[in-house]
Amino acid sequence: MDVISQLQRQFIDYTSSLYREGYVDDQFSQLQKLQDESNPDFVVEVVSLFFDDCQKLVQNMAQALEQQNVDFRQVDSHVHQLKGSSSSVGASRVKNACIAFRTFCEAQNREGCLRCLQQVNQEYSVLKNKLQQLFRLEQQIIAAGGSIPMVE
Amino acid sequence: MLESANGYYFNEYGRNNIQPDMILVEKDYWISGEDGSAKGQFLDLRQNGHVLKLPRLILLATNMSDDEFDKAKAAGFSDTVIMKPLRASMIAACLQQVLSVGMKKQAGKDAPNEPRVPIKSLLSGKKILVVDDNMVNRRVAAGALKKFGANVECADSGGTALKLLQIPHSFDACFMDIQMPEMDGFEATRRIRKMESQVNEQQMVNGGSTIDGTAKKSEWHMPILAMTADVIHATYEECLKCGMDGYVSKPFEEENLYQAVAKFFQSKPKPVSDS
């Protein structure tokens, strides 16, 4: 197998595993469909925005949870934001972590919230690594003169 | 209105050419699948040629989990869901949504010579305002609409949206997030409608003359659609009450988006049958 085919194979396998393991869902493939010649870096741009947003929101949640008297509505509103943006990019594990998080906010359970925050942070870090790996693969394919295969 | 306690009756519909316009099904009955044949019959009714007019299928439910909704959708079964207890206003809204969309759908299915207008030609060149306080959501929504040919602008709050929508403006439609800090989507919509009705009254007083010499609309009413992550529990009534024209799921789902915008950006079809 030549280099391009090998890389493409790797890309397909890696992408499939991301879906299979629930890191991303169909919305992520919708994002990929929105990318075209007039919008060639759409996915990378949106994903970067998402990770920045995620980092900011996680910081806000942490700060809010450190307070003497935790304002759980404030925490919940940050989680709600993150749930929305993760849903928009198809980051399904992050989204699911947010859903669980919200129930602890509603219950005003600080310990539970802190655990969820950890979970959210974890999912975000893992996803970030995985997507960076995916984008690297894409760049390698393009550098070798190949095209990115569609993965349904 | 005909009632049926079980699915057997639906076979009769096909055989006797009784053509219901709409079938309301109680969710728990359908999903329990006790009368398994009913499920199949529903789908046959829709998919084979026995009925000339494909009836709209509506689920009635007191509660519905995401799982159940996914099942219903996947079965191609549910055009919409009405939550019980039934309220007249809710039924009216659903009927309007379902019947007006239904006519267009049937035009596509029954007359293969008339292909359904692709979403791209519906939105091409339309100027759309996307209002959402989250930057990621704005970018994704704008990306999808641009792909369909729309000319998109974004606003990060209800307040900004109001400024951009001072009359006269050149927007053809607005997608509005509901939950936003400071001013939520409902409030923003109420204020937009208030602004429009003030202008419309003024225009009537002036004998229908133009404002600032710019292109005059006979009556200002901009299509405003709520974007909601929770379509099932979305307060459709609340959306209508504040003057919205409907809602779409967030993130966008193409079929759902199509049906929502087709109402505004397509000329009214001729009735499919004269019954």
Side-chain angles (χ1 to χ4, degrees):
Chain A
M1 239 203 300
D2 64 288
V3 172
I4 294 180
S5 302
Q6 253 180 359
L7 288 169
Q8 287 173 329
R9 180 79 255 160
Q10 255 187 294
F11 176 83
I12 292 173
D13 289 343
Y14 198 66
T15 305
S16 303
S17 76
L18 291 181
Y19 285 102
R20 206 172 44 241
E21 290 162 28
Y23 287 103
V24 295
D25 61 28
D26 183 63
Q27 178 60 18
F28 186 71
S29 71
Q30 295 303 316
L31 287 191
Q32 290 176 313
K33 288 182 187 160
L34 294 181
Q35 187 159 296
D36 58 26
E37 315 77 48
S38 66
N39 217 343
D41 301 310
F42 183 69
V43 180
V44 171
E45 281 173 8
V46 170
V47 165
S48 304
L49 274 178
F50 169 65
F51 287 133
D52 289 342
D53 194 47
C54 201
Q55 202 173 25
K56 182 192 78 181
L57 289 168
V58 164
Q59 257 168 13
N60 292 344
M61 292 171 207
Q63 267 170 11
L65 285 167
E66 269 166 30
Q67 304 306 308
Q68 279 274 34
N69 292 318
V70 178
D71 182 351
F72 285 99
R73 282 209 344 216
Q74 177 74 285
V75 180
D76 183 71
S77 97
H78 294 313
V79 180
H80 171 80
Q81 278 272 314
L82 185 57
K83 177 174 164 253
S85 59
S86 57
S87 177
S88 287
V89 303
S92 64
R93 284 208 191 183
V94 176
K95 181 184 81 174
N96 291 338
C98 290
I99 292 175
F101 200 153
R102 293 195 80 188
T103 48
F104 287 104
C105 290
E106 258 169 83
Q108 309 215 341
N109 179 335
R110 189 167 172 272
E111 282 311 306
C113 282
L114 286 170
R115 276 197 307 272
C116 284
L117 180 60
Q118 220 177 11
Q119 178 75 5
V120 163
N121 213 8
Q122 169 113 341
E123 294 297 349
Y124 145 67
S125 304
V126 172
L127 181 65
K128 190 168 181 181
N129 282 334
K130 296 225 173 234
L131 290 182
Q132 278 169 345
Q133 169 72 340
L134 189 72
F135 297 145
R136 261 195 297 271
L137 268 173
E138 281 186 353
Q139 281 166 349
Q140 284 179 292
I141 293 175
I142 293 179
S147 61
I148 314 291
M150 278 297 292
V151 183
E152 289 301 325
Chain B
M1 193 167 79
L2 297 163
E3 283 173 48
S4 172
N6 59 41
Y8 173 73
Y9 208 29
F10 291 95
N11 249 343
E12 298 307 307
Y13 281 153
R15 276 202 280 269
N16 301 334
N17 280 332
I18 299 170
Q19 293 161 22
D21 289 295
M22 190 176 308
I23 301 175
L24 276 71
V25 182
E26 218 287 315
K27 180 209 66 168
D28 289 332
Y29 162 72
W30 176 73
I31 226 134
S32 71
E34 271 169 36
D35 184 354
S37 58
K39 266 194 209 172
Q41 282 166 27
F42 288 147
L43 300 179
D44 280 346
L45 208 59
R46 298 209 74 187
Q47 284 158 19
N48 65 26
H50 279 182
V51 289
L52 293 176
K53 237 175 16 179
L54 297 168
R56 314 304 294 156
L57 292 170
I58 299 177
L59 270 182
L60 304 175
T62 46
N63 60 75
M64 193 142 192
S65 68
D66 288 331
D67 218 46
E68 288 169 333
F69 182 63
D70 286 336
K71 274 199 195 127
K73 250 174 97 167
F77 170 63
S78 193
D79 289 298
T80 193
V81 176
I82 303 181
M83 300 309 280
K84 294 195 289 183
L86 299 183
R87 282 182 288 245
S89 56
M90 174 61 108
I91 299 195
C94 275
L95 287 183
Q96 190 182 41
Q97 184 182 37
V98 159
L99 290 178
S100 66
V101 170
M103 305 231 276
K104 291 174 188 64
K105 251 194 173 171
Q106 284 160 44
K109 281 186 178 161
D110 298 331
N113 305 325
E114 295 171 44
R116 190 170 93 162
V117 177
I119 193 169
K120 187 146 188 179
S121 74
L122 282 184
L123 290 171
S124 184
K126 295 290 188 287
K127 190 169 176 196
I128 308 218
L129 181 65
V130 169
V131 187
D132 194 311
D133 62 318
N134 181 281
M135 182 166 3
V136 177
N137 298 343
R138 286 198 298 276
R139 185 65 76 91
V140 172
L145 293 170
K146 280 179 189 163
K147 182 83 177 184
F148 297 135
N151 169 5
V152 183
E153 266 189 54
C154 295
D156 63 2
S157 69
T160 309
L162 277 174
K163 288 197 200 123
L164 291 171
L165 293 174
Q166 289 294 311
I167 293 171
H169 64 72
S170 52
F171 287 98
D172 296 299
C174 174
F175 286 89
M176 177 92 71
D177 184 27
I178 298 182
Q179 257 176 296
M180 293 187 285
E182 286 168 31
M183 193 193 305
D184 69 19
F186 297 132
E187 180 58 27
T189 303
R190 270 183 230 116
R191 296 198 194 184
I192 292 168
R193 293 304 182 218
K194 184 157 181 213
M195 197 170 30
E196 287 174 338
S197 67
Q198 280 168 349
V199 168
N200 291 338
E201 271 172 41
Q202 194 59 45
Q203 273 181 180
M204 283 208 309
V205 164
N206 294 344
S209 54
T210 61
I211 303 170
D212 302 348
T214 51
K216 169 196 161 272
K217 297 216 170 144
S218 49
E219 196 186 69
W220 286 87
H221 177 96
M222 187 179 66
I224 300 179
L225 294 168
M227 296 188 290
T228 173
D230 188 0
V231 174
I232 294 296
H233 299 112
T235 45
Y236 193 61
E237 283 189 344
E238 179 103 46
C239 288
L240 294 183
K241 240 194 322 194
C242 71
M244 285 172 160
D245 296 286
Y247 57 69
V248 291
S249 64
K250 168 175 148 174
F252 293 145
E253 191 272 304
E254 188 173 325
E255 185 59 30
N256 174 263
L257 178 66
Y258 182 92
Q259 292 187 12
V261 300
K263 272 192 275 186
F264 311 112
F265 297 147
Q266 197 177 50
S267 54
K268 295 228 179 312
K270 291 198 279 285
V272 172
S273 79
D274 48 29
S275 59

